[in-house]
């Protein structure tokens, strides 16, 4: 469609002409008659942002129409109008919170080129941070694995077997008259005399 990214330079254009958005499913984007839409208007695209709507939460570039229009308003310096537009949506304030650093960074740029450069810098910082975290590994508290616990249980059983039949019989006698090797002191199987 266009490679011109919305920027603060578009504020007067927005104030005089407004904003139009294409409201369609991402799954049916290829069905939009883009050639007819090119005939009129000043087309802009949005920089990198993350969706907060209930369908695409956390997905980059997958904004719904309300998020896209609110983002445009925020980038051109009309933040209050963006907040007002998103107020009816349960996820509206989350969209602004999730994208706060990006929206502020984009709004501080005076041109489309500046927005694109800020976006590339931001994405590079994110990639560097991700690489650093992966290199450091996860800092988890020490724990024993389930294999170690099983080994401890096996060792305890083995120790009891090594004690011999006399100790095993004396344990049953002290457990009571109803004790059995299979049911313990609350057993129902009588011991043979």
């Amino acid at each position: 469609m266009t490679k011109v990214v919305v920027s603060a330079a578009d504020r007067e254009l927005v104030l005089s002409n407004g904003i139009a958005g294409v409201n369609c499913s991402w799954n049916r984007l290829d069905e939009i008659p883009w050639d007819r839409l090119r005939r009129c208007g000043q087309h802009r695209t949005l920089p990198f942002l993350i969706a907060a709507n209930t369908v695409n939460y956390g997905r980059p570039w997958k904004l719904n129409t309300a998020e896209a229009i609110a983002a445009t308003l925020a980038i051109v310096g009309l933040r209050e109008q963006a907040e007002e537009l998103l107020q009816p949506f349960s996820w509206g304030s989350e969209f602004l919170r999730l994208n706060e650093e990006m929206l502020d960074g984009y709004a501080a740029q005076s041109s489309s080129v500046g927005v694109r450069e800020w976006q590339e810098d931001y994405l590079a910082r994110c990639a560097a941070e991700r690489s650093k975290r992966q290199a450091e590994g996860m800092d988890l508290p020490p724990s024993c694995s389930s294999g170690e616990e099983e080994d401890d249980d096996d060792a305890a059983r083995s120790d009891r077997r090594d004690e011999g039949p006399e100790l095993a019989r004396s344990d049953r006698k002290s457990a009571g008259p109803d004790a059995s090797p299979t049911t313990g002191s609350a057993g129902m199987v009588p011991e043979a005399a």
Side-chain angles (χ1 to χ4, degrees):
M1 180 89 187
T2 184
K3 294 191 188 271
V4 180
V5 181
V6 68
S7 71
D10 296 313
R11 182 184 174 106
E12 290 307 314
L13 182 63
V14 168
L15 290 172
S16 63
N17 296 319
I19 301 170
V22 177
N23 192 14
C24 69
S25 167
W26 284 100
N27 297 331
R28 301 181 69 181
L29 197 57
D30 294 336
E31 298 174 21
I32 302 298
W34 296 111
D35 56 329
R36 284 192 256 158
L37 293 174
R38 286 190 183 107
R39 294 182 196 155
C40 60
Q42 303 278 334
H43 300 280
R44 299 290 185 269
T45 189
L46 286 168
F48 177 84
L49 292 163
I50 300 170
N53 65 72
T54 54
V55 175
N56 290 311
Y57 185 89
R59 292 183 178 175
W61 306 104
K62 294 285 189 173
L63 310 183
N64 65 25
T65 307
E67 288 170 317
I69 292 173
T72 301
L73 290 168
I75 292 169
V76 302
L78 301 171
R79 179 69 178 235
E80 287 181 24
Q81 288 85 342
E83 291 171 3
E84 188 177 320
L85 173 73
L86 292 173
Q87 189 176 18
F89 301 101
S90 61
W91 44 262
S93 60
E94 176 67 5
F95 175 75
L96 295 172
R97 186 200 64 77
L98 196 61
N99 293 289
E100 183 174 21
E101 181 181 357
M102 291 173 281
L103 291 170
D104 290 346
Y106 300 146
Q109 308 309 308
S110 61
S111 69
S112 180
V113 172
V115 169
R116 192 169 298 281
E117 288 172 356
W118 195 92
Q119 170 188 283
E120 295 307 317
D121 180 58
Y122 177 80
L123 293 174
R125 284 183 287 145
C126 289
E129 184 178 324
R130 181 176 186 225
S131 294
K132 181 182 173 189
R133 285 183 184 170
Q134 287 177 336
E136 291 174 351
M138 294 182 71
D139 184 24
L140 298 174
S143 66
C144 62
S145 69
S146 60
E148 291 173 357
E149 290 172 5
E150 290 172 9
D151 292 344
D152 292 344
D153 291 344
D154 290 344
R157 274 189 234 108
S158 175
D159 289 347
R160 282 193 296 266
R161 274 184 260 143
D162 292 342
E163 292 171 347
E166 290 302 314
L167 184 57
R169 266 187 246 123
S170 68
D171 283 349
R172 272 188 266 142
K173 289 178 186 172
S174 65
D178 293 336
S180 77
T182 57
T183 60
S185 62
M188 303 296 262
V189 180
E191 185 175 334

